[in-house]
Amino acid sequence: MTSLSTPPLFDALSDAENVLISGAGGGFDVYAGLPLALALQDRGATVHLANLSFTPLELIALEAWAAPDLALIRPDTAGSDDYFPERTLARWLAANAANAANGLRAEVYAFPKTGVQPLRAAYQYLVDSLGIDAIVLVDGGTDILMRGDEAGLGTPVEDVTSLAAVAGLDVGVKLVTCLGFGIDAFHGVVHSQVLENLAALDRDGAYLGALSIPSTSREAALYRAAVADAQAATPLRPSIVNGQIAAAVGGEFGDVQFTRRTQGSALFVNPLMAVYFTVGLDALAARCLYLDRIENTLGMRQVASRISTFRDEIATRIPQAFPH
């Protein structure tokens, strides 16, 4: 039985020795897992970082490939100079190893954009080679929590590919955690339906609650520093998601503008963006209405096409408006 005095997220990971924290939706999603990674590392776990990559990984050297569809990105890995979140994070970890990382490796595993089957094989390689006993998929935003019949799904392709891939693995602890509640409204997600889905998962015994990142914590300070470093390293394509989360983690509120990419849009930075919402991965996968359709995919275009076909065949749930 869980206790109010111990966050269920950390209770679930208390016995894990080798934890893989992986960005589910690509881009800078792995950054949203950094506060959790630092906290787990401080508690004595060995933490490995991974990310579904939007970087053109075909530009990296052959020796960077650890296995088919799996690259190991280090600070000196050659590749794109314009956009390379995995290398940017590895460089930040290397530069801050003495006072920040506390043993967190200055490397990030990167998965190219594939379908479920090759992505699962890459994850299986990591499980076997690193002795992984817990996997936490991290989503910047909450659209990974969509089951498929909501009014809007956000950008589900990468998230659900990661979800399906890891659901097929035999690992002791598998979790999904989301940071950045409200951000996906820009992509059509109705967040009353996010809450409805969380309530359904709670009834299934699969909701591990909400955990706020205190703005005065060491993890918050390091996360903000890492995001600021990434924004400086990627000035043309800074992370809109992590920029808003970092602002929220710093106590900002409202229309906090930090990049030209959001000019013309009114942002709503708020404390809910600084909260991890965590669920059991297998239970979440079981509630996805179209997961079986993407199981045998080899490419991500197949995933996108099958989601689109599914959406054409169903009636979507009518969302309830927030009453406040």
Side-chain angles (χ1 to χ4, degrees):
M1 179 177 291
T2 58
S3 168
L4 182 63
S5 64
T6 303
L9 169 57
F10 285 97
D11 188 46
L13 295 169
S14 61
D15 295 328
E17 297 181 356
N18 288 287
V19 182
L20 178 64
I21 295 180
S22 185
F28 288 90
D29 264 11
V30 66
Y31 276 78
L34 187 58
L36 178 59
L38 292 165
L40 289 172
Q41 190 80 16
D42 284 348
R43 288 164 63 101
T46 298
V47 179
H48 308 270
L49 298 174
N51 197 46
L52 184 64
S53 182
F54 290 171
T55 303
L57 294 176
E58 64 272 13
L59 299 179
I60 68 176
L62 288 176
E63 56 265 26
W65 291 92
D69 299 305
L70 179 67
L72 177 55
I73 308 302
R74 295 189 169 101
D76 60 350
T77 300
S80 172
D81 292 328
D82 298 326
Y83 182 84
F84 206 158
E86 297 82 15
R87 186 182 63 193
T88 300
L89 180 54
R91 288 178 174 176
W92 182 85
L93 290 169
N96 291 273
N99 62 356
N102 280 12
L104 199 60
R105 289 172 171 81
E107 57 189 32
V108 180
Y109 288 95
F111 307 105
K113 295 173 70 173
T114 67
V116 171
Q117 290 296 317
L119 183 58
R120 182 178 296 151
Y123 268 106
Q124 186 67 62
Y125 176 87
L126 287 179
V127 170
D128 295 339
S129 62
L130 300 177
I132 298 297
D133 53 8
I135 297 177
V136 182
L137 286 185
V138 180
D139 183 25
T142 55
D143 54 355
I144 196 172
L145 300 176
M146 301 293 95
R147 71 176 200 170
D149 62 351
E150 293 82 4
L153 299 187
T155 54
V157 176
E158 292 82 10
D159 289 325
V160 78
T161 301
S162 298
L163 177 65
V166 176
L169 299 177
D170 183 13
V171 176
V173 178
K174 295 182 289 183
L175 305 175
V176 171
T177 194
C178 301
L179 189 65
F181 184 91
I183 285 174
D184 294 315
F186 180 80
H187 293 290
V189 170
V190 179
H191 283 78
S192 60
Q193 293 188 319
V194 173
L195 297 175
E196 183 181 2
N197 290 354
L198 287 172
L201 287 160
D202 196 8
R203 292 194 297 274
D204 292 343
Y207 178 46
L208 279 70
L211 179 64
S212 179
I213 302 172
S215 62
T216 56
S217 66
R218 172 179 170 272
E219 293 86 356
L222 293 173
Y223 170 69
R224 290 193 296 265
V227 171
D229 175 78
Q231 289 173 338
T234 317
L236 298 180
R237 295 176 63 185
S239 174
I240 295 174
V241 170
N242 281 282
Q244 291 181 79
I245 296 170
V249 169
E252 300 284 351
F253 183 82
D255 190 11
V256 182
Q257 296 287 335
F258 53 88
T259 172
R260 293 180 181 178
R261 296 183 67 196
T262 59
Q263 284 185 349
S265 298
L267 304 182
F268 185 56
V269 172
N270 66 85
L272 287 176
M273 290 182 175
V275 175
Y276 280 121
F277 291 88
T278 306
V279 301
L281 187 146
D282 287 339
L284 179 62
R287 293 188 63 83
C288 182
L289 298 174
Y290 58 84
L291 208 70
D292 59 327
R293 300 195 183 200
I294 67 169
E295 168 62 25
N296 64 353
T297 54
L298 300 177
M300 207 160 274
R301 288 186 179 180
Q302 286 178 294
V303 177
S305 175
R306 294 180 188 189
I307 294 175
S308 178
T309 300
F310 167 79
R311 292 283 287 179
D312 289 340
E313 295 173 357
I314 65 163
T316 58
R317 280 154 48 201
I318 298 175
Q320 178 182 354
F322 279 105
H324 305 293

